[in-house]
């Protein structure tokens, strides 16, 4: 029941990813309809119903375009799993606040980068200039297109791809 399900708005705009339990609930209460069933069936004693991969809400909901939450995982993905100081690609990464928090640096996309532990240690609580270190590129908020927003699920859910294009 852990598999992610892509939720489309009534106009087919991808708006969310939910878990299987929630998706099945939306289908059973007819708040959503099945768009892609790529995962066989869920069987109970009396019923069997399709395991959804993509569902579509029956009623259009109005909401602002989804934005990515600032999480460690998303910062590492944005920075392509690469230390933004030395350029090393690694799974052993930390979050560095470019302007340290104790000097007023905020926890925002434009002030956080992926850093390997040794670069993070070398920089310490200092500003770039003080540490004489340089960024590969200035940190920015990631793109808000659907392909990027939901892209981390794509490798396991290739059937989503056609629903993400163009949004
Ligand atoms: Zn590094």
């Amino acid at each position: 029941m852990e598999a992610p399900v892509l939720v489309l708005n009534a106009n087919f705009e991808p708006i969310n990813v939910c878990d299987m339990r929630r998706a099945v609930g939306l289908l059973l209460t007819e708040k959503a309809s099945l768009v892609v069933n790529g995962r066989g069936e869920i069987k109970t004693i009396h019923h069997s119903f399709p395991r959804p991969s993509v569902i579509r809400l029956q009623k259009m909901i109005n909401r602002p375009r989804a934005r990515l939450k600032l999480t460690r995982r998303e910062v590492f993905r944005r920075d392509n799993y690469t230390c933004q100081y030395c350029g090393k690609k690694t799974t052993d990464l930390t979050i560095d606040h470019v302007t340290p928090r104790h000097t007023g640096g905020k926890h925002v996309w434009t002030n956080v980068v992926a850093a390997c532990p040794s670069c993070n240690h070398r920089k310490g609580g200092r500003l770039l200039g003080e540490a004489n270190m340089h960024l590969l590129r200035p940190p920015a908020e990631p793109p808000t297109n659907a392909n990027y927003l939901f892209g981390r699920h794509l490798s396991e859910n290739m059937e989503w791809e056609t629903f993400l294009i163009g949004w």
Side-chain angles (χ1 to χ4, degrees):
M1 296 297 264
E2 298 301 313
V5 177
L6 182 66
V7 182
L8 307 178
N9 211 339
N11 67 346
F12 287 94
E13 179 180 5
I15 52 170
N16 197 11
V17 171
C18 72
D19 63 19
M20 185 69 69
R21 189 176 303 273
R22 168 117 179 104
V24 168
L26 288 167
L27 292 174
L28 290 178
T29 55
E30 300 188 339
K31 291 190 172 121
S33 56
L34 183 70
V35 178
V36 176
N37 160 27
R39 297 173 178 156
E41 305 216 307
I42 299 170
K43 288 194 171 68
T44 65
I45 296 171
H46 300 292
H47 301 281
S48 77
F49 43 93
R51 237 176 233 278
S53 171
V54 182
I55 62 172
R56 177 179 164 229
L57 298 176
Q58 301 287 47
K59 280 200 190 130
M60 183 82 181
I61 60 162
N62 287 309
R63 49 178 264 165
R65 182 173 273 275
R67 296 172 74 179
L68 278 175
K69 284 205 189 83
L70 204 178
T71 61
R72 294 167 56 83
R73 183 175 63 186
E74 290 294 351
V75 172
F76 299 159
R77 183 163 77 102
R78 182 199 64 183
D79 292 345
N80 199 24
Y81 308 96
T82 301
C83 172
Q84 294 298 292
Y85 294 106
C86 70
K88 187 167 80 178
K89 191 160 184 170
T90 171
T91 53
D92 184 18
L93 285 167
T94 62
I95 294 285
D96 177 61
H97 290 88
V98 179
T99 299
R101 302 198 79 172
H102 69 89
T103 61
K106 293 205 172 78
H107 189 63
V108 293
W109 285 110
T110 50
N111 193 45
V112 292
V113 293
C116 73
S118 69
C119 285
N120 203 334
H121 183 75
R122 188 152 74 89
K123 180 161 171 283
R126 296 176 295 175
L127 294 167
L128 287 179
E130 293 169 347
N132 196 23
M133 291 170 78
H134 303 279
L135 287 167
L136 298 182
R137 55 179 184 181
E141 180 159 352
T144 56
N145 63 70
N147 215 33
Y148 191 91
L149 283 177
F150 306 113
R152 71 188 168 85
H153 300 285
L154 258 187
S155 56
E156 282 114 51
N157 301 279
M158 284 312 290
E159 71 273 20
W160 291 10
E161 196 170 27
T162 50
F163 299 96
L164 300 181
I165 291 166
W167 291 100

